[in-house]
Amino acid sequence: MMGASSTEKTTTNNPLEQFVLLAKTAKGAAALELVKQAIETPGVNVFGELLDMPNIKELENGPHAAYWNTLNLFAYGTYKQYLENKDKLLELTPTQKKKLQHLTIVTLATKSKCIPYSVLLEELDIKNVRDLEDLIIEAIYADIINGKLDQRNSQLEVDFAGLGRDVRPGDAGIVAGTLSAWGQACDSILACIEQQVAKANLEKQKATHHKDKIQQDIANIKKALAAQAGGGGVQEADMAGGGTGAGSSESGREALPVPPDAKKKQQKAKGIRGSGTSNLIDDSMN
């Protein structure tokens, strides 16, 4: 039971795996039937591993080369190539035909993100736009491609392909070159980002230093103002204290009581001054 579950899991993750396993022992008619099932089964869209199996490779130069050629076409070719080489290939069933047409759309999507209907009609050998749009919609729902139909401009706009096709052995160098160029572009972008980060950190440090300096200046100004306010208060207090003392002294003198003897002397003195003045006036009149 555990072995069956493991097999089901492997098959689910890689639909081609079951055919690769069977190809290890398949010979003769079994190998031919295996090829037909592989190109017919939904979800099996890559075939490179199967082509590499020794029992399948034996078909390439034998009397059953059409099976090898057809499997090779599904791995790397297009529907238009099928039409041009029918005499060397198997007759396709409707299911196989539709799968190859879907794979052809994937190939076209790797070359252009906007594929005109005219190109698709020619490559897929479809006579009217309605049938073409139905085929594209099926490919989108099957996650073979992701995009939308632009009916106004009569084109298919592709966002990305939901699956990849096999790479021909001779194309490995091209793929490696493309990946290398992409890696260099990523390195350049990363270096630019690092420079921007360093510049941003430097600006942040400058701003922080400037902020600290302003805060220190504000603190110093506050201390100076507080010191000035304290000194002025002491001076005002001293001035107020001196004025009050003088007033108190003056009022104190006015409030001192005059002794009785001093009052009599003052009155006597006034009388003498008054008498003297009157005598002088009388003498002058005489």
Side-chain angles (χ1 to χ4, degrees), residues 241-273:
T244 303
S248 299
S249 177
E250 184 178 353
S251 59
R253 288 194 296 271
E254 292 176 353
L256 288 176
V258 180
D261 295 339
K263 287 183 178 182
K264 290 180 179 180
K265 291 179 180 181
Q266 289 175 0
Q267 290 174 357
K268 184 176 181 181
K270 287 180 180 180
I272 295 173
R273 286 196 297 271

mmCIF file of all heavy atoms in Angstrom, residues 241-273:
data_model
loop_
_atom_site.group_PDB
_atom_site.id
_atom_site.type_symbol
_atom_site.label_atom_id
_atom_site.label_comp_id
_atom_site.label_asym_id
_atom_site.label_seq_id
_atom_site.Cartn_x
_atom_site.Cartn_y
_atom_site.Cartn_z
ATOM 1 N N GLY A 241 13.508 95.965 47.821
ATOM 2 C CA GLY A 241 13.832 95.949 49.243
ATOM 3 C C GLY A 241 14.383 97.292 49.695
ATOM 4 O O GLY A 241 14.039 97.812 50.744
ATOM 5 N N GLY A 242 15.243 97.958 48.888
ATOM 6 C CA GLY A 242 15.828 99.254 49.256
ATOM 7 C C GLY A 242 14.780 100.330 49.358
ATOM 8 O O GLY A 242 14.756 101.143 50.270
ATOM 9 N N GLY A 243 13.839 100.418 48.444
ATOM 10 C CA GLY A 243 12.773 101.434 48.453
ATOM 11 C C GLY A 243 11.899 101.289 49.670
ATOM 12 O O GLY A 243 11.519 102.239 50.319
ATOM 13 N N THR A 244 11.620 100.121 50.014
ATOM 14 C CA THR A 244 10.738 99.872 51.156
ATOM 15 C C THR A 244 11.423 100.301 52.451
ATOM 16 O O THR A 244 10.825 100.885 53.340
ATOM 17 C CB THR A 244 10.369 98.378 51.217
ATOM 18 O OG1 THR A 244 9.763 98.030 49.997
ATOM 19 C CG2 THR A 244 9.450 98.083 52.382
ATOM 20 N N GLY A 245 12.742 100.081 52.517
ATOM 21 C CA GLY A 245 13.480 100.477 53.721
ATOM 22 C C GLY A 245 13.484 101.979 53.907
ATOM 23 O O GLY A 245 13.286 102.481 54.996
ATOM 24 N N ALA A 246 13.670 102.743 52.820
ATOM 25 C CA ALA A 246 13.681 104.204 52.928
ATOM 26 C C ALA A 246 12.341 104.738 53.354
ATOM 27 O O ALA A 246 12.229 105.606 54.195
ATOM 28 C CB ALA A 246 14.100 104.813 51.579
ATOM 29 N N GLY A 247 11.313 104.221 52.768
ATOM 30 C CA GLY A 247 9.952 104.655 53.133
ATOM 31 C C GLY A 247 9.661 104.369 54.576
ATOM 32 O O GLY A 247 9.067 105.168 55.275
ATOM 33 N N SER A 248 10.113 103.249 55.008
ATOM 34 C CA SER A 248 9.843 102.858 56.388
ATOM 35 C C SER A 248 10.578 103.784 57.345
ATOM 36 O O SER A 248 10.061 104.173 58.378
ATOM 37 C CB SER A 248 10.279 101.397 56.613
ATOM 38 O OG SER A 248 9.568 100.533 55.768
ATOM 39 N N SER A 249 11.835 104.146 56.917
ATOM 40 C CA SER A 249 12.620 105.026 57.785
ATOM 41 C C SER A 249 11.963 106.393 57.907
ATOM 42 O O SER A 249 11.855 106.966 58.978
ATOM 43 C CB SER A 249 14.026 105.166 57.213
ATOM 44 O OG SER A 249 14.779 106.054 57.970
ATOM 45 N N GLU A 250 11.498 106.926 56.700
ATOM 46 C CA GLU A 250 10.872 108.253 56.704
ATOM 47 C C GLU A 250 9.586 108.248 57.503
ATOM 48 O O GLU A 250 9.316 109.121 58.316
ATOM 49 C CB GLU A 250 10.620 108.684 55.267
ATOM 50 C CG GLU A 250 10.060 110.086 55.169
ATOM 51 C CD GLU A 250 9.865 110.516 53.737
ATOM 52 O OE1 GLU A 250 10.294 109.743 52.831
ATOM 53 O OE2 GLU A 250 9.307 111.597 53.517
ATOM 54 N N SER A 251 8.791 107.250 57.263
ATOM 55 C CA SER A 251 7.523 107.188 58.001
ATOM 56 C C SER A 251 7.780 106.974 59.493
ATOM 57 O O SER A 251 7.019 107.404 60.340
ATOM 58 C CB SER A 251 6.637 106.091 57.438
ATOM 59 O OG SER A 251 7.319 104.829 57.539
ATOM 60 N N GLY A 252 8.925 106.280 59.744
ATOM 61 C CA GLY A 252 9.251 106.055 61.155
ATOM 62 C C GLY A 252 9.553 107.363 61.864
ATOM 63 O O GLY A 252 9.173 107.568 62.991
ATOM 64 N N ARG A 253 10.251 108.277 61.127
ATOM 65 C CA ARG A 253 10.556 109.568 61.754
ATOM 66 C C ARG A 253 9.295 110.366 61.991
ATOM 67 O O ARG A 253 9.159 111.053 62.985
ATOM 68 C CB ARG A 253 11.520 110.351 60.860
ATOM 69 C CG ARG A 253 12.936 109.782 60.847
ATOM 70 C CD ARG A 253 13.902 110.800 60.237
ATOM 71 N NE ARG A 253 13.576 111.057 58.849
ATOM 72 C CZ ARG A 253 14.049 110.374 57.819
ATOM 73 N NH1 ARG A 253 14.882 109.357 58.060
ATOM 74 N NH2 ARG A 253 13.734 110.697 56.594
ATOM 75 N N GLU A 254 8.365 110.351 61.091
ATOM 76 C CA GLU A 254 7.116 111.087 61.274
ATOM 77 C C GLU A 254 6.305 110.519 62.428
ATOM 78 O O GLU A 254 5.590 111.236 63.106
ATOM 79 C CB GLU A 254 6.281 111.026 59.991
ATOM 80 C CG GLU A 254 6.936 111.804 58.851
ATOM 81 C CD GLU A 254 6.152 111.664 57.582
ATOM 82 O OE1 GLU A 254 5.198 110.852 57.602
ATOM 83 O OE2 GLU A 254 6.490 112.300 56.572
ATOM 84 N N ALA A 255 6.482 109.266 62.635
ATOM 85 C CA ALA A 255 5.654 108.644 63.673
ATOM 86 C C ALA A 255 6.257 108.763 65.073
ATOM 87 O O ALA A 255 5.628 108.385 66.041
ATOM 88 C CB ALA A 255 5.443 107.191 63.330
ATOM 89 N N LEU A 256 7.538 109.269 65.185
ATOM 90 C CA LEU A 256 8.144 109.356 66.515
ATOM 91 C C LEU A 256 7.371 110.385 67.380
ATOM 92 O O LEU A 256 7.104 111.509 66.922
ATOM 93 C CB LEU A 256 9.611 109.796 66.393
ATOM 94 C CG LEU A 256 10.568 108.729 65.826
ATOM 95 C CD1 LEU A 256 11.955 109.333 65.661
ATOM 96 C CD2 LEU A 256 10.630 107.533 66.766
ATOM 97 N N PRO A 257 7.049 110.084 68.601
ATOM 98 C CA PRO A 257 6.337 111.029 69.481
ATOM 99 C C PRO A 257 7.261 112.169 69.945
ATOM 100 O O PRO A 257 8.452 111.952 70.154
ATOM 101 C CB PRO A 257 5.899 110.150 70.660
ATOM 102 C CG PRO A 257 6.881 109.006 70.662
ATOM 103 C CD PRO A 257 7.267 108.766 69.235
ATOM 104 N N VAL A 258 6.697 113.403 70.053
ATOM 105 C CA VAL A 258 7.476 114.568 70.513
ATOM 106 C C VAL A 258 7.297 114.710 72.029
ATOM 107 O O VAL A 258 6.161 114.767 72.509
ATOM 108 C CB VAL A 258 6.995 115.860 69.828
ATOM 109 C CG1 VAL A 258 7.816 117.065 70.331
ATOM 110 C CG2 VAL A 258 7.117 115.683 68.327
ATOM 111 N N PRO A 259 8.403 114.781 72.799
ATOM 112 C CA PRO A 259 8.266 114.904 74.265
ATOM 113 C C PRO A 259 7.564 116.208 74.643
ATOM 114 O O PRO A 259 7.655 117.196 73.905
ATOM 115 C CB PRO A 259 9.730 114.913 74.746
ATOM 116 C CG PRO A 259 10.494 114.255 73.628
ATOM 117 C CD PRO A 259 9.793 114.638 72.386
ATOM 118 N N PRO A 260 6.890 116.260 75.778
ATOM 119 C CA PRO A 260 6.159 117.465 76.198
ATOM 120 C C PRO A 260 7.070 118.690 76.377
ATOM 121 O O PRO A 260 6.721 119.793 75.987
ATOM 122 C CB PRO A 260 5.533 117.067 77.542
ATOM 123 C CG PRO A 260 5.441 115.560 77.452
ATOM 124 C CD PRO A 260 6.618 115.108 76.655
ATOM 125 N N ASP A 261 8.235 118.528 76.909
ATOM 126 C CA ASP A 261 9.158 119.656 77.111
ATOM 127 C C ASP A 261 9.576 120.258 75.792
ATOM 128 O O ASP A 261 9.707 121.465 75.643
ATOM 129 C CB ASP A 261 10.399 119.198 77.897
ATOM 130 C CG ASP A 261 10.032 118.776 79.309
ATOM 131 O OD1 ASP A 261 8.955 119.214 79.769
ATOM 132 O OD2 ASP A 261 10.793 117.986 79.898
ATOM 133 N N ALA A 262 9.738 119.393 74.817
ATOM 134 C CA ALA A 262 10.156 119.891 73.493
ATOM 135 C C ALA A 262 9.051 120.708 72.878
ATOM 136 O O ALA A 262 9.296 121.721 72.228
ATOM 137 C CB ALA A 262 10.518 118.717 72.587
ATOM 138 N N LYS A 263 7.785 120.341 73.102
ATOM 139 C CA LYS A 263 6.651 121.102 72.563
ATOM 140 C C LYS A 263 6.603 122.490 73.192
ATOM 141 O O LYS A 263 6.364 123.482 72.512
ATOM 142 C CB LYS A 263 5.334 120.375 72.848
ATOM 143 C CG LYS A 263 5.137 119.146 71.982
ATOM 144 C CD LYS A 263 3.775 118.520 72.270
ATOM 145 C CE LYS A 263 3.536 117.324 71.387
ATOM 146 N NZ LYS A 263 2.207 116.736 71.629
ATOM 147 N N LYS A 264 6.818 122.583 74.477
ATOM 148 C CA LYS A 264 6.788 123.877 75.159
ATOM 149 C C LYS A 264 7.879 124.767 74.623
ATOM 150 O O LYS A 264 7.686 125.962 74.395
ATOM 151 C CB LYS A 264 6.966 123.702 76.683
ATOM 152 C CG LYS A 264 5.759 123.047 77.339
ATOM 153 C CD LYS A 264 5.993 122.895 78.840
ATOM 154 C CE LYS A 264 4.793 122.252 79.536
ATOM 155 N NZ LYS A 264 5.009 122.105 81.003
ATOM 156 N N LYS A 265 9.057 124.232 74.444
ATOM 157 C CA LYS A 265 10.177 125.015 73.926
ATOM 158 C C LYS A 265 9.867 125.515 72.530
ATOM 159 O O LYS A 265 10.180 126.636 72.169
ATOM 160 C CB LYS A 265 11.450 124.193 73.897
ATOM 161 C CG LYS A 265 11.993 123.881 75.294
ATOM 162 C CD LYS A 265 13.250 123.038 75.201
ATOM 163 C CE LYS A 265 13.799 122.735 76.610
ATOM 164 N NZ LYS A 265 15.027 121.927 76.545
ATOM 165 N N GLN A 266 9.251 124.659 71.725
ATOM 166 C CA GLN A 266 8.907 125.091 70.366
ATOM 167 C C GLN A 266 7.887 126.229 70.396
ATOM 168 O O GLN A 266 7.997 127.214 69.668
ATOM 169 C CB GLN A 266 8.331 123.901 69.577
ATOM 170 C CG GLN A 266 9.368 122.838 69.212
ATOM 171 C CD GLN A 266 8.744 121.645 68.542
ATOM 172 O OE1 GLN A 266 7.518 121.615 68.353
ATOM 173 N NE2 GLN A 266 9.587 120.683 68.156
ATOM 174 N N GLN A 267 6.882 126.149 71.308
ATOM 175 C CA GLN A 267 5.857 127.190 71.403
ATOM 176 C C GLN A 267 6.493 128.509 71.928
ATOM 177 O O GLN A 267 6.188 129.604 71.447
ATOM 178 C CB GLN A 267 4.740 126.736 72.346
ATOM 179 C CG GLN A 267 3.908 125.595 71.749
ATOM 180 C CD GLN A 267 2.888 125.059 72.752
ATOM 181 O OE1 GLN A 267 2.874 125.546 73.944
ATOM 182 N NE2 GLN A 267 2.055 124.142 72.317
ATOM 183 N N LYS A 268 7.349 128.427 72.895
ATOM 184 C CA LYS A 268 8.019 129.613 73.453
ATOM 185 C C LYS A 268 8.849 130.313 72.419
ATOM 186 O O LYS A 268 8.880 131.535 72.295
ATOM 187 C CB LYS A 268 8.880 129.194 74.649
ATOM 188 C CG LYS A 268 9.542 130.385 75.373
ATOM 189 C CD LYS A 268 10.293 129.881 76.586
ATOM 190 C CE LYS A 268 10.919 131.086 77.317
ATOM 191 N NZ LYS A 268 11.695 130.659 78.504
ATOM 192 N N ALA A 269 9.550 129.442 71.627
ATOM 193 C CA ALA A 269 10.407 130.011 70.563
ATOM 194 C C ALA A 269 9.560 130.723 69.548
ATOM 195 O O ALA A 269 9.909 131.804 69.062
ATOM 196 C CB ALA A 269 11.215 128.903 69.914
ATOM 197 N N LYS A 270 8.435 130.195 69.211
ATOM 198 C CA LYS A 270 7.538 130.805 68.242
ATOM 199 C C LYS A 270 7.017 132.129 68.799
ATOM 200 O O LYS A 270 6.902 133.131 68.113
ATOM 201 C CB LYS A 270 6.351 129.898 67.916
ATOM 202 C CG LYS A 270 6.732 128.710 67.058
ATOM 203 C CD LYS A 270 5.507 127.838 66.774
ATOM 204 C CE LYS A 270 5.878 126.658 65.929
ATOM 205 N NZ LYS A 270 4.708 125.818 65.654
ATOM 206 N N GLY A 271 6.708 132.133 70.132
ATOM 207 C CA GLY A 271 6.207 133.367 70.743
ATOM 208 C C GLY A 271 7.264 134.457 70.732
ATOM 209 O O GLY A 271 6.984 135.606 70.475
ATOM 210 N N ILE A 272 8.484 134.111 71.047
ATOM 211 C CA ILE A 272 9.579 135.089 71.047
ATOM 212 C C ILE A 272 9.759 135.646 69.666
ATOM 213 O O ILE A 272 9.896 136.850 69.461
ATOM 214 C CB ILE A 272 10.872 134.433 71.568
ATOM 215 C CG1 ILE A 272 10.725 134.027 73.026
ATOM 216 C CG2 ILE A 272 12.073 135.351 71.367
ATOM 217 C CD1 ILE A 272 11.868 133.226 73.578
ATOM 218 N N ARG A 273 9.755 134.722 68.628
ATOM 219 C CA ARG A 273 9.943 135.221 67.267
ATOM 220 C C ARG A 273 8.776 136.116 66.885
ATOM 221 O O ARG A 273 8.942 137.134 66.227
ATOM 222 C CB ARG A 273 10.063 134.028 66.287
ATOM 223 C CG ARG A 273 11.399 133.316 66.402
ATOM 224 C CD ARG A 273 11.608 132.431 65.175
ATOM 225 N NE ARG A 273 10.598 131.385 65.095
ATOM 226 C CZ ARG A 273 10.740 130.201 65.658
ATOM 227 N NH1 ARG A 273 11.810 129.922 66.415
ATOM 228 N NH2 ARG A 273 9.795 129.300 65.518
#
